[in-house]
Amino acid sequence: MKRNMVLAVLLSAAMVIGAAGCGNSGSGGTDSDGTSSGSTDSGASDSEEKDTGSGAGYKIGLTNSFNGNSYRQQMEAYAQEAADELMESGEIAEFTIVEANNDASKQVQQIENFILEGMDAIIIDPISATALTGAIQEASDAGIPCIIINDGPVESDAELCYQINFDTIDQMATLTEYVCEAIGGKGKIIELRGTAGAEFDNIAHSGVMQTLENYPDIEVVAEVYTDWTGSKAQSELASVLPTLDQVDGIVTQGGDSYAAVQAFESAGMDLPVIGGDNRGYFLKWWATEAPEGYDTLSVSSNPWDGATGVYVACDILSGEYDIPNDMVHPFAVVEKDQVQDYKDMGDEEIGTPTFDREWVRENLYQ
């Protein structure tokens, strides 16, 4: 995936923002343990919704390792939207979303519970590359395909483990190279990371480090874990910035670029070159409030892979398609000459293209 992957589609704010606020599209109930269960009858109670699995359609569960940021919430919303579409047609009878809140043992338990509940397929945004290996194997041995999205890859030789990953190395190399070139190939940068131990963070960091090998005159003066959230990024930077005499650039993974802007403004420091993350907060600031001539690049993973996981799960279960165990989902890039297209997007929106089921079949199954 290269920089000419120009974004063409703005997300629907009315649909996505309302959905992201509750972590799903609003068609299902939410239990006290964070479980949400989708149904074609949005007025049904939790117990009634869970009975929808008695139909002929598939029962599919999604376990999200974390949903405390807008990206993960939008990913869930896209997954729920795709599931609602397929519940209308009867292809899906029940769709359930649970969150593990960054607890590996809890996510293992959720997978095992899905097995016991007789789910036909399990979609997993994994907390770890290794912690889920046994549970995924258990599901595969039970004939239940596991579809890995967003934060993979995971280590698994299970026959029914299907991985939909981003080329995270390329994604972070694209952003890091831009920042390095923009500051003249020398200077001091901050790396904003995600959640410690998450496989996406590990791979993203590798992409940054590999790129920096080509820039020996650039020094990483701080690594800050943000959990991909603006509030944590701003508070952590508020502690770090007073200890630094110079910052020329910032490389981010997502969810925290605008928080970096705010932190530097609050500290009264000159704005460095801040790699963007396609969040509405940042893109709107860049388009309408950034200093004249301010230039950067914005990239992000694509939360539409939540929908991709739903479509792939159903196609696996149908047996009608030859689906590879390893697939690559494109990431998204916004350059300076496109940023004005995003000046009116919602704060929590993520500027990425959306696709459809046919796109998944034509582009991921090859």
Side-chain angles (χ1 to χ4, degrees):
M1 288 77 75
K2 305 299 180 185
R3 292 184 185 174
N4 62 358
M5 189 183 300
V6 178
L7 303 180
V9 184
L10 283 173
L11 305 176
S12 168
M15 176 183 298
V16 174
I17 300 303
C22 61
N24 59 47
S25 69
S27 64
T30 303
D31 299 331
S32 60
D33 65 356
T35 301
S36 59
S37 179
S39 168
T40 55
D41 178 7
S42 61
S45 67
D46 288 346
S47 59
E48 290 171 335
E49 287 174 338
K50 292 177 182 178
D51 288 337
T52 59
S54 59
Y58 305 127
K59 294 173 59 177
I60 298 175
L62 187 159
T63 169
N64 188 359
S65 62
F66 176 71
N67 80 330
N69 59 49
S70 59
Y71 180 96
R72 295 295 189 90
Q73 292 159 7
Q74 192 160 321
M75 183 191 76
E76 288 187 4
Y78 281 134
Q80 186 70 59
E81 183 180 340
D84 288 345
E85 167 199 333
L86 299 184
M87 283 193 284
E88 287 289 337
S89 66
E91 192 168 349
I92 291 178
E94 179 182 318
F95 184 66
T96 302
I97 299 174
V98 294
E99 287 82 31
N101 297 318
N102 282 328
D103 184 333
S105 61
K106 184 173 183 179
Q107 190 163 44
V108 168
Q109 183 180 42
Q110 290 171 344
I111 295 170
E112 292 174 341
N113 286 343
F114 279 154
I115 296 171
L116 293 174
E117 292 167 13
M119 291 293 177
D120 296 300
I122 302 171
I123 303 169
I124 304 168
D125 187 331
I127 193 171
S128 162
T130 58
L132 309 181
T133 302
I136 292 170
Q137 185 65 57
E138 184 180 347
S140 181
D141 291 344
I144 303 171
C146 293
I147 299 88
I148 310 302
I149 62 171
N150 199 59
D151 278 309
V154 297
E155 293 184 11
S156 175
D157 295 324
E159 180 181 0
L160 297 183
C161 179
Y162 298 84
Q163 307 211 42
I164 307 170
N165 297 309
F166 298 104
D167 189 340
T168 306
I169 295 290
D170 189 22
Q171 176 180 325
M172 295 309 299
T174 297
L175 189 64
T176 305
E177 181 181 0
Y178 180 91
V179 171
C180 291
E181 290 294 324
I183 65 175
K186 60 183 180 179
K188 299 180 178 181
I189 68 171
I190 294 174
E191 181 186 3
L192 297 186
R193 301 187 61 173
T195 297
E199 187 62 8
F200 182 92
D201 173 77
N202 292 334
I203 298 173
H205 177 64
S206 295
V208 174
M209 291 295 101
Q210 289 177 26
T211 305
L212 289 178
E213 291 177 1
N214 300 320
Y215 297 92
D217 295 327
I218 290 180
E219 177 188 2
V220 178
V221 293
E223 288 182 17
V224 178
Y225 286 97
T226 73
D227 290 337
W228 303 291
T229 60
S231 58
K232 184 172 181 179
Q234 193 168 359
S235 63
E236 293 291 331
L237 284 170
S239 298
V240 170
L241 292 183
T243 69
L244 303 174
D245 59 357
Q246 176 187 342
V247 179
D248 302 297
I250 295 186
V251 175
T252 72
Q253 294 181 13
D256 41 27
S257 293
Y258 182 62
V261 173
Q262 293 176 303
F264 275 85
E265 290 179 341
S266 296
M269 299 175 66
D270 292 337
L271 284 174
V273 177
I274 300 174
D277 55 10
N278 289 355
R279 269 57 170 183
Y281 287 110
F282 182 82
L283 292 179
K284 291 198 302 181
W285 169 83
W286 184 15
T288 63
E289 300 178 35
E292 185 175 356
Y294 188 86
D295 194 7
T296 187
L297 187 75
S298 186
V299 306
S300 75
S301 304
N302 190 339
W304 198 81
D305 69 341
T308 301
V310 173
Y311 291 137
V312 169
C314 289
D315 282 348
I316 292 169
L317 294 170
S318 75
E320 297 178 7
Y321 298 89
D322 184 12
I323 299 175
N325 288 91
D326 293 291
M327 293 164 269
V328 177
H329 202 291
F331 60 89
V333 177
V334 177
E335 297 179 326
K336 184 178 181 179
D337 59 356
Q338 289 118 31
V339 70
Q340 290 299 322
D341 296 337
Y342 300 91
K343 64 181 181 180
D344 297 321
M345 67 187 295
D347 289 341
E348 297 287 349
E349 240 181 311
I350 299 171
T352 56
T354 59
F355 307 102
D356 58 25
R357 194 175 192 179
E358 285 308 310
W359 178 91
V360 171
R361 292 168 173 169
E362 291 173 4
N363 289 275
L364 299 190
Y365 298 172
Q366 306 304 315

PDB file of all heavy atoms in Angstrom, residues 77-100:
ATOM      1  N   ALA A  77     -18.855  -0.469  15.395  1.00  0.00           N
ATOM      2  CA  ALA A  77     -20.047   0.045  14.720  1.00  0.00           C
ATOM      3  C   ALA A  77     -20.143  -0.483  13.289  1.00  0.00           C
ATOM      4  O   ALA A  77     -21.222  -0.850  12.816  1.00  0.00           O
ATOM      5  CB  ALA A  77     -20.038   1.571  14.716  1.00  0.00           C
ATOM      6  N   TYR A  78     -19.009  -0.518  12.589  1.00  0.00           N
ATOM      7  CA  TYR A  78     -19.009  -1.067  11.227  1.00  0.00           C
ATOM      8  C   TYR A  78     -19.355  -2.548  11.242  1.00  0.00           C
ATOM      9  O   TYR A  78     -20.084  -3.042  10.367  1.00  0.00           O
ATOM     10  CB  TYR A  78     -17.645  -0.864  10.579  1.00  0.00           C
ATOM     11  CG  TYR A  78     -17.400   0.522  10.039  1.00  0.00           C
ATOM     12  CD1 TYR A  78     -16.200   1.179  10.289  1.00  0.00           C
ATOM     13  CD2 TYR A  78     -18.352   1.183   9.261  1.00  0.00           C
ATOM     14  CE1 TYR A  78     -15.957   2.448   9.787  1.00  0.00           C
ATOM     15  CE2 TYR A  78     -18.118   2.446   8.764  1.00  0.00           C
ATOM     16  CZ  TYR A  78     -16.919   3.072   9.030  1.00  0.00           C
ATOM     17  OH  TYR A  78     -16.674   4.322   8.532  1.00  0.00           O
ATOM     18  N   ALA A  79     -18.811  -3.289  12.225  1.00  0.00           N
ATOM     19  CA  ALA A  79     -19.126  -4.708  12.326  1.00  0.00           C
ATOM     20  C   ALA A  79     -20.620  -4.903  12.573  1.00  0.00           C
ATOM     21  O   ALA A  79     -21.271  -5.756  11.951  1.00  0.00           O
ATOM     22  CB  ALA A  79     -18.308  -5.351  13.454  1.00  0.00           C
ATOM     23  N   GLN A  80     -21.182  -4.102  13.481  1.00  0.00           N
ATOM     24  CA  GLN A  80     -22.601  -4.220  13.786  1.00  0.00           C
ATOM     25  C   GLN A  80     -23.466  -3.852  12.577  1.00  0.00           C
ATOM     26  O   GLN A  80     -24.485  -4.498  12.307  1.00  0.00           O
ATOM     27  CB  GLN A  80     -22.961  -3.324  14.965  1.00  0.00           C
ATOM     28  CG  GLN A  80     -24.396  -3.478  15.450  1.00  0.00           C
ATOM     29  CD  GLN A  80     -24.633  -4.816  16.129  1.00  0.00           C
ATOM     30  OE1 GLN A  80     -23.975  -5.136  17.111  1.00  0.00           O
ATOM     31  NE2 GLN A  80     -25.571  -5.594  15.620  1.00  0.00           N
ATOM     32  N   GLU A  81     -23.033  -2.822  11.849  1.00  0.00           N
ATOM     33  CA  GLU A  81     -23.777  -2.410  10.655  1.00  0.00           C
ATOM     34  C   GLU A  81     -23.825  -3.532   9.619  1.00  0.00           C
ATOM     35  O   GLU A  81     -24.880  -3.810   9.036  1.00  0.00           O
ATOM     36  CB  GLU A  81     -23.115  -1.164  10.063  1.00  0.00           C
ATOM     37  CG  GLU A  81     -23.836  -0.585   8.860  1.00  0.00           C
ATOM     38  CD  GLU A  81     -23.127   0.641   8.323  1.00  0.00           C
ATOM     39  OE1 GLU A  81     -22.332   1.265   9.066  1.00  0.00           O
ATOM     40  OE2 GLU A  81     -23.362   0.988   7.148  1.00  0.00           O
ATOM     41  N   ALA A  82     -22.671  -4.196   9.399  1.00  0.00           N
ATOM     42  CA  ALA A  82     -22.646  -5.322   8.456  1.00  0.00           C
ATOM     43  C   ALA A  82     -23.504  -6.468   8.961  1.00  0.00           C
ATOM     44  O   ALA A  82     -24.228  -7.115   8.190  1.00  0.00           O
ATOM     45  CB  ALA A  82     -21.207  -5.783   8.244  1.00  0.00           C
ATOM     46  N   ALA A  83     -23.437  -6.737  10.271  1.00  0.00           N
ATOM     47  CA  ALA A  83     -24.240  -7.813  10.842  1.00  0.00           C
ATOM     48  C   ALA A  83     -25.729  -7.508  10.719  1.00  0.00           C
ATOM     49  O   ALA A  83     -26.538  -8.394  10.407  1.00  0.00           O
ATOM     50  CB  ALA A  83     -23.862  -8.031  12.306  1.00  0.00           C
ATOM     51  N   ASP A  84     -26.115  -6.259  10.958  1.00  0.00           N
ATOM     52  CA  ASP A  84     -27.522  -5.881  10.823  1.00  0.00           C
ATOM     53  C   ASP A  84     -28.015  -6.117   9.399  1.00  0.00           C
ATOM     54  O   ASP A  84     -29.128  -6.598   9.173  1.00  0.00           O
ATOM     55  CB  ASP A  84     -27.710  -4.409  11.193  1.00  0.00           C
ATOM     56  CG  ASP A  84     -27.577  -4.148  12.689  1.00  0.00           C
ATOM     57  OD1 ASP A  84     -27.618  -5.130  13.469  1.00  0.00           O
ATOM     58  OD2 ASP A  84     -27.418  -2.973  13.075  1.00  0.00           O
ATOM     59  N   GLU A  85     -27.166  -5.769   8.445  1.00  0.00           N
ATOM     60  CA  GLU A  85     -27.514  -5.992   7.033  1.00  0.00           C
ATOM     61  C   GLU A  85     -27.775  -7.469   6.763  1.00  0.00           C
ATOM     62  O   GLU A  85     -28.762  -7.826   6.089  1.00  0.00           O
ATOM     63  CB  GLU A  85     -26.353  -5.501   6.164  1.00  0.00           C
ATOM     64  CG  GLU A  85     -26.406  -5.919   4.705  1.00  0.00           C
ATOM     65  CD  GLU A  85     -25.037  -5.807   4.033  1.00  0.00           C
ATOM     66  OE1 GLU A  85     -24.206  -4.986   4.471  1.00  0.00           O
ATOM     67  OE2 GLU A  85     -24.801  -6.564   3.072  1.00  0.00           O
ATOM     68  N   LEU A  86     -26.933  -8.341   7.311  1.00  0.00           N
ATOM     69  CA  LEU A  86     -27.064  -9.765   7.051  1.00  0.00           C
ATOM     70  C   LEU A  86     -28.127 -10.414   7.933  1.00  0.00           C
ATOM     71  O   LEU A  86     -28.622 -11.497   7.603  1.00  0.00           O
ATOM     72  CB  LEU A  86     -25.712 -10.450   7.234  1.00  0.00           C
ATOM     73  CG  LEU A  86     -24.608  -9.947   6.289  1.00  0.00           C
ATOM     74  CD1 LEU A  86     -23.334 -10.757   6.470  1.00  0.00           C
ATOM     75  CD2 LEU A  86     -25.060 -10.003   4.830  1.00  0.00           C
ATOM     76  N   MET A  87     -28.486  -9.764   9.045  1.00  0.00           N
ATOM     77  CA  MET A  87     -29.634 -10.255   9.807  1.00  0.00           C
ATOM     78  C   MET A  87     -30.929  -9.955   9.069  1.00  0.00           C
ATOM     79  O   MET A  87     -31.884 -10.734   9.129  1.00  0.00           O
ATOM     80  CB  MET A  87     -29.629  -9.647  11.209  1.00  0.00           C
ATOM     81  CG  MET A  87     -28.619 -10.309  12.135  1.00  0.00           C
ATOM     82  SD  MET A  87     -28.833  -9.883  13.896  1.00  0.00           S
ATOM     83  CE  MET A  87     -28.160  -8.235  13.898  1.00  0.00           C
ATOM     84  N   GLU A  88     -30.961  -8.843   8.374  1.00  0.00           N
ATOM     85  CA  GLU A  88     -32.147  -8.510   7.570  1.00  0.00           C
ATOM     86  C   GLU A  88     -32.400  -9.574   6.507  1.00  0.00           C
ATOM     87  O   GLU A  88     -33.541  -9.923   6.206  1.00  0.00           O
ATOM     88  CB  GLU A  88     -31.963  -7.144   6.913  1.00  0.00           C
ATOM     89  CG  GLU A  88     -32.077  -5.961   7.854  1.00  0.00           C
ATOM     90  CD  GLU A  88     -33.503  -5.721   8.326  1.00  0.00           C
ATOM     91  OE1 GLU A  88     -34.438  -6.155   7.628  1.00  0.00           O
ATOM     92  OE2 GLU A  88     -33.675  -5.107   9.394  1.00  0.00           O
ATOM     93  N   SER A  89     -31.328 -10.095   5.931  1.00  0.00           N
ATOM     94  CA  SER A  89     -31.465 -11.108   4.883  1.00  0.00           C
ATOM     95  C   SER A  89     -31.575 -12.520   5.447  1.00  0.00           C
ATOM     96  O   SER A  89     -31.833 -13.465   4.694  1.00  0.00           O
ATOM     97  CB  SER A  89     -30.259 -11.043   3.935  1.00  0.00           C
ATOM     98  OG  SER A  89     -29.065 -11.417   4.609  1.00  0.00           O
ATOM     99  N   GLY A  90     -31.362 -12.663   6.763  1.00  0.00           N
ATOM    100  CA  GLY A  90     -31.462 -13.971   7.398  1.00  0.00           C
ATOM    101  C   GLY A  90     -30.175 -14.758   7.407  1.00  0.00           C
ATOM    102  O   GLY A  90     -30.124 -15.874   7.937  1.00  0.00           O
ATOM    103  N   GLU A  91     -29.097 -14.193   6.861  1.00  0.00           N
ATOM    104  CA  GLU A  91     -27.827 -14.912   6.831  1.00  0.00           C
ATOM    105  C   GLU A  91     -27.218 -15.023   8.227  1.00  0.00           C
ATOM    106  O   GLU A  91     -26.555 -16.005   8.550  1.00  0.00           O
ATOM    107  CB  GLU A  91     -26.863 -14.219   5.878  1.00  0.00           C
ATOM    108  CG  GLU A  91     -25.624 -15.023   5.558  1.00  0.00           C
ATOM    109  CD  GLU A  91     -24.838 -14.442   4.385  1.00  0.00           C
ATOM    110  OE1 GLU A  91     -25.358 -13.541   3.694  1.00  0.00           O
ATOM    111  OE2 GLU A  91     -23.709 -14.891   4.174  1.00  0.00           O
ATOM    112  N   ILE A  92     -27.436 -13.998   9.054  1.00  0.00           N
ATOM    113  CA  ILE A  92     -27.007 -14.015  10.445  1.00  0.00           C
ATOM    114  C   ILE A  92     -28.233 -14.008  11.336  1.00  0.00           C
ATOM    115  O   ILE A  92     -29.171 -13.242  11.111  1.00  0.00           O
ATOM    116  CB  ILE A  92     -26.108 -12.804  10.772  1.00  0.00           C
ATOM    117  CG1 ILE A  92     -24.756 -12.932  10.070  1.00  0.00           C
ATOM    118  CG2 ILE A  92     -25.898 -12.666  12.272  1.00  0.00           C
ATOM    119  CD1 ILE A  92     -23.823 -11.751  10.312  1.00  0.00           C
ATOM    120  N   ALA A  93     -28.217 -14.877  12.349  1.00  0.00           N
ATOM    121  CA  ALA A  93     -29.318 -14.917  13.309  1.00  0.00           C
ATOM    122  C   ALA A  93     -28.967 -14.156  14.585  1.00  0.00           C
ATOM    123  O   ALA A  93     -29.828 -13.547  15.208  1.00  0.00           O
ATOM    124  CB  ALA A  93     -29.663 -16.364  13.658  1.00  0.00           C
ATOM    125  N   GLU A  94     -27.686 -14.185  14.965  1.00  0.00           N
ATOM    126  CA  GLU A  94     -27.280 -13.535  16.213  1.00  0.00           C
ATOM    127  C   GLU A  94     -25.869 -13.006  16.074  1.00  0.00           C
ATOM    128  O   GLU A  94     -24.981 -13.695  15.542  1.00  0.00           O
ATOM    129  CB  GLU A  94     -27.342 -14.539  17.368  1.00  0.00           C
ATOM    130  CG  GLU A  94     -26.905 -13.963  18.708  1.00  0.00           C
ATOM    131  CD  GLU A  94     -26.941 -14.994  19.822  1.00  0.00           C
ATOM    132  OE1 GLU A  94     -27.913 -15.781  19.884  1.00  0.00           O
ATOM    133  OE2 GLU A  94     -25.984 -15.022  20.623  1.00  0.00           O
ATOM    134  N   PHE A  95     -25.670 -11.792  16.538  1.00  0.00           N
ATOM    135  CA  PHE A  95     -24.339 -11.187  16.522  1.00  0.00           C
ATOM    136  C   PHE A  95     -24.089 -10.561  17.883  1.00  0.00           C
ATOM    137  O   PHE A  95     -24.857  -9.711  18.343  1.00  0.00           O
ATOM    138  CB  PHE A  95     -24.235 -10.116  15.431  1.00  0.00           C
ATOM    139  CG  PHE A  95     -22.856  -9.531  15.295  1.00  0.00           C
ATOM    140  CD1 PHE A  95     -21.796 -10.311  14.855  1.00  0.00           C
ATOM    141  CD2 PHE A  95     -22.614  -8.203  15.607  1.00  0.00           C
ATOM    142  CE1 PHE A  95     -20.522  -9.784  14.732  1.00  0.00           C
ATOM    143  CE2 PHE A  95     -21.344  -7.662  15.487  1.00  0.00           C
ATOM    144  CZ  PHE A  95     -20.296  -8.460  15.039  1.00  0.00           C
ATOM    145  N   THR A  96     -23.017 -10.997  18.544  1.00  0.00           N
ATOM    146  CA  THR A  96     -22.725 -10.571  19.910  1.00  0.00           C
ATOM    147  C   THR A  96     -21.327  -9.971  19.984  1.00  0.00           C
ATOM    148  O   THR A  96     -20.373 -10.545  19.453  1.00  0.00           O
ATOM    149  CB  THR A  96     -22.820 -11.764  20.878  1.00  0.00           C
ATOM    150  OG1 THR A  96     -24.129 -12.335  20.811  1.00  0.00           O
ATOM    151  CG2 THR A  96     -22.524 -11.321  22.308  1.00  0.00           C
ATOM    152  N   ILE A  97     -21.219  -8.832  20.639  1.00  0.00           N
ATOM    153  CA  ILE A  97     -19.930  -8.171  20.837  1.00  0.00           C
ATOM    154  C   ILE A  97     -19.606  -8.147  22.333  1.00  0.00           C
ATOM    155  O   ILE A  97     -20.454  -7.779  23.146  1.00  0.00           O
ATOM    156  CB  ILE A  97     -19.949  -6.721  20.300  1.00  0.00           C
ATOM    157  CG1 ILE A  97     -20.225  -6.692  18.795  1.00  0.00           C
ATOM    158  CG2 ILE A  97     -18.617  -6.018  20.595  1.00  0.00           C
ATOM    159  CD1 ILE A  97     -20.402  -5.289  18.230  1.00  0.00           C
ATOM    160  N   VAL A  98     -18.390  -8.549  22.678  1.00  0.00           N
ATOM    161  CA  VAL A  98     -17.913  -8.442  24.054  1.00  0.00           C
ATOM    162  C   VAL A  98     -16.556  -7.739  24.048  1.00  0.00           C
ATOM    163  O   VAL A  98     -15.836  -7.770  23.056  1.00  0.00           O
ATOM    164  CB  VAL A  98     -17.798  -9.826  24.740  1.00  0.00           C
ATOM    165  CG1 VAL A  98     -19.171 -10.460  24.898  1.00  0.00           C
ATOM    166  CG2 VAL A  98     -16.868 -10.753  23.956  1.00  0.00           C
ATOM    167  N   GLU A  99     -16.232  -7.095  25.166  1.00  0.00           N
ATOM    168  CA  GLU A  99     -14.965  -6.376  25.302  1.00  0.00           C
ATOM    169  C   GLU A  99     -14.154  -6.986  26.433  1.00  0.00           C
ATOM    170  O   GLU A  99     -14.676  -7.285  27.493  1.00  0.00           O
ATOM    171  CB  GLU A  99     -15.204  -4.888  25.591  1.00  0.00           C
ATOM    172  CG  GLU A  99     -15.701  -4.089  24.400  1.00  0.00           C
ATOM    173  CD  GLU A  99     -17.212  -4.215  24.189  1.00  0.00           C
ATOM    174  OE1 GLU A  99     -17.943  -4.383  25.190  1.00  0.00           O
ATOM    175  OE2 GLU A  99     -17.635  -4.155  23.037  1.00  0.00           O
ATOM    176  N   ALA A 100     -12.847  -7.123  26.208  1.00  0.00           N
ATOM    177  CA  ALA A 100     -11.975  -7.736  27.215  1.00  0.00           C
ATOM    178  C   ALA A 100     -11.250  -6.711  28.077  1.00  0.00           C
ATOM    179  O   ALA A 100     -10.601  -7.085  29.056  1.00  0.00           O
ATOM    180  CB  ALA A 100     -10.945  -8.639  26.537  1.00  0.00           C
TER     181      ALA A 100
END
